Amino acid sequence: MSLDTSRRPRAVRTGGRPPSDRPAGRRRHWTRRPNPVAGIGSALWLVVVIVPIYAMISSSLTRQDKALGKNALVPPTDPTFDNYNTVLHNGFGHLLLNTVVVAAAVVAVVLVLCVPLSYVAVRSRTFWSGAAFRLFLLGVAIPAQAVVVPLYLMIAKLNLYDSLLAIILPTAAFAMPVSVLILTGTLRDISEEMYEAMALDGASTTRMLFQLVIPMAKGGISTVVIYSALQAWNGFLFPLIFTQSDGPRVLTLGLFNYVSQFGVNIPALLASVVLSGIPIFAVYLVARRALVGGLMGVGGK
């Protein structure tokens, strides 16, 4: 028996393509209304950020004898790179190497300790895991200045004074509370079904940590890496209190090389600041989205 297809209702086009004929990768473009208030606010904030950087770079290219009488916002008439040459030949490489070692060691310590701790805090429901998590969160409210004397006594008892470990260990300890907070927020974004699927496959806790948690938490881990590296790179209190000789000096203490009893070499000091900020600024530009995303609590998505 043949079917009469002539009486079938046909789809009537009302204009444009039907939903089935639309390309899958095509997205609808939305028009946004202009927001002049946000634009003016962004422009003002950009000026607030750019002007000090411009003044610092402009002053670093000025001769020392003209630094005090010159307006920092006026470009130098005869720019010179002698200040940068002075910085590079005044032990800058040694200071940079020490700072890189401290930052890398702090990041390694924070990741090795905070990732398993955050995993236990999220997956375990015991009293002790919750108590340990709350204890770490108390560290957010404790300033480093309040415990610098006990830390000094501990480091002296351990014979770590005037060494890079005297900088690494306290810096990592004070970076851990915020790192645990970031990682726990990231690990909570991993769905329970993924854990259950791996458990049904017979995966152990260690296998879940390395094959599920760490790959799914790359955003939060990237945030922790950048945050702890920034804390170590810009740290000043611990290097100042726990070191004395030139051997373990870092970049923040190297700025004192241009401060003497009779004056300050302002252009060389600012040139050192510019050179010190370039590496960590480059890292921030590469991973700024991971940093902001992780701090907003969406690093695991």
Side-chain angles (χ1 to χ4, degrees):
M1 180 178 62
S2 61
L3 296 177
D4 187 5
T5 58
S6 61
R7 296 183 180 181
R8 288 184 179 179
R10 298 182 178 179
V12 179
R13 297 187 179 183
T14 57
R17 294 182 178 179
S20 59
D21 295 341
R22 183 176 297 167
R26 189 172 181 180
R27 296 181 179 179
R28 185 178 298 176
H29 296 280
W30 299 93
T31 57
R32 297 181 180 180
R33 296 180 179 179
N35 191 344
V37 177
I40 294 174
S42 301
L44 291 176
W45 178 250
L46 183 63
V47 170
V48 170
V49 173
I50 292 297
V51 168
I53 297 177
Y54 164 75
M56 180 175 61
I57 296 175
S58 175
S59 299
S60 67
L61 297 174
T62 306
R63 299 185 183 277
Q64 185 179 2
D65 55 351
K66 298 181 180 179
L68 294 179
K70 172 185 172 297
N71 187 354
L73 298 180
V74 177
T77 55
D78 52 344
T80 177
F81 288 95
D82 292 340
N83 301 311
Y84 289 92
N85 190 32
T86 301
V87 172
L88 293 176
H89 288 82
N90 198 21
F92 181 81
H94 175 71
L95 299 174
L96 179 62
L97 178 61
N98 284 344
T99 307
V100 171
V101 171
V102 169
V106 168
V107 169
V109 171
V110 169
L111 289 182
V112 169
L113 296 178
C114 290
V115 173
L117 177 64
S118 303
Y119 175 64
V120 172
V122 171
R123 296 297 301 162
S124 179
R125 301 294 186 268
T126 62
F127 168 79
W128 295 109
S129 63
F133 177 67
R134 289 189 292 270
L135 181 63
F136 265 87
L137 291 186
L138 285 177
V140 179
I142 300 176
Q145 294 82 356
V147 295
V148 68
V149 174
L151 282 176
Y152 176 83
L153 296 176
M154 291 175 59
I155 289 174
K157 291 285 186 180
L158 294 173
N159 295 323
L160 296 177
Y161 182 76
D162 201 21
S163 66
L164 290 180
L165 280 176
I167 306 173
I168 293 170
L169 296 180
T171 305
F174 277 89
M176 287 178 65
V178 176
S179 300
V180 170
L181 187 63
I182 294 171
L183 287 173
T184 50
T186 301
L187 297 185
R188 287 193 178 101
D189 291 337
I190 302 176
S191 62
E192 187 70 23
E193 289 77 9
M194 293 184 178
Y195 290 108
E196 294 176 355
M198 290 201 69
L200 291 176
D201 290 339
S204 62
T205 303
T206 306
R207 182 182 169 189
M208 286 186 185
L209 176 64
F210 285 98
Q211 295 187 3
L212 175 63
V213 173
I214 294 179
M216 294 292 293
K218 288 182 179 179
I221 292 175
S222 301
T223 304
V224 169
V225 169
I226 301 168
Y227 170 77
S228 56
L230 284 172
Q231 295 298 310
W233 195 276
N234 298 324
F236 177 75
L237 179 63
F238 295 145
L240 177 65
I241 301 298
F242 300 146
T243 61
Q244 184 177 6
S245 63
D246 294 335
R249 277 203 166 195
V250 294
L251 286 172
T252 51
L253 289 184
L255 300 178
F256 283 105
N257 294 334
Y258 311 101
V259 180
S260 64
Q261 182 180 358
F262 305 101
V264 180
N265 189 349
I266 296 177
L269 178 65
L270 295 179
S272 179
V273 173
V274 172
L275 292 177
S276 302
I278 289 176
I280 199 66
F281 183 69
V283 173
Y284 172 77
L285 287 180
V286 172
R288 64 188 184 277
R289 290 189 178 181
L291 176 64
V292 176
L295 292 176
M296 292 291 291
V298 295
K301 294 184 180 180

